[in-house]
Amino acid sequence: MDLSGFKKLEIIAGEPFMSVTDHATAFNQNAVIKLGCPEKVCLLFNYETKQLAIQPSDKDDTTAISFMKPGRDAAKGARFNSKDLQYSLARQMDWDIDHYIYRINGTYYEENNVMVFDLTTATKSPKRSRK
């Protein structure tokens, strides 16, 4: 059988998601791998629909921010430790990130190589107390 029209499928357990707390905005392994483990990304926000998009960018894009360090294991995911980002999202969504963790599933659009997170669908859970 001729397999020239076939492409390998990369199956990753679970759904891509991001989480927002007062300590970080984090993206899980699935989200990182689907985006191709990029070193730099651009974050885009739709203020009307309350959606956050993350898209790989080239190193020369001045609006791009660091995402994956070269050699970092994608299984660890990626995170931004930016208080400005966390609290900006919290203000937009009226979230209490000091006491809750917000998790948002993402949808990957291969044709644009972009992951979109609808923040209105976030689920919240209480933060575990740190001992």
Side-chain angles (χ1 to χ4, degrees), residues 49 126 129:
T49 63
S129 63

Side-chain angles (χ1 to χ4, degrees), residues 17-131:
F17 70 86
M18 65 178 281
S19 59
V20 181
T21 70
D22 62 331
H23 293 292
T25 301
F27 298 86
N28 75 336
Q29 170 188 8
N30 190 306
V32 170
I33 291 173
K34 286 210 180 287
L35 289 169
C37 303
E39 287 183 39
K40 298 265 189 176
V41 295
C42 285
L43 296 177
L44 307 126
F45 191 75
N46 184 320
Y47 289 89
E48 290 181 26
T49 63
K50 307 292 187 193
Q51 291 177 306
L52 178 77
I54 183 168
Q55 188 171 43
S57 182
D58 62 44
K59 296 175 187 174
D60 298 327
D61 187 336
T62 58
T63 63
I65 55 178
S66 294
F67 189 63
M68 287 292 293
K69 292 180 180 163
R72 180 175 166 87
D73 183 6
K76 295 179 180 176
R79 60 189 280 144
F80 299 114
N81 296 323
S82 165
K83 293 286 186 189
D84 184 42
L85 176 59
Q86 281 101 251
Y87 283 96
S88 291
L89 293 175
R91 279 190 302 278
Q92 282 296 318
M93 301 308 298
D94 196 26
W95 289 344
D96 179 6
I97 60 173
D98 293 320
H99 298 101
Y100 294 95
I101 298 168
Y102 294 85
R103 176 183 161 149
I104 308 97
N105 288 339
T107 302
Y108 178 67
Y109 296 93
E110 186 174 2
E111 64 276 10
N112 301 106
N113 193 21
V114 67
M115 183 81 60
V116 177
F117 300 90
D118 182 349
L119 303 186
T120 65
T121 65
T123 57
K124 77 177 184 179
S125 57
K127 289 172 72 172
R128 293 185 216 139
S129 63
R130 293 180 180 217
K131 295 182 181 180

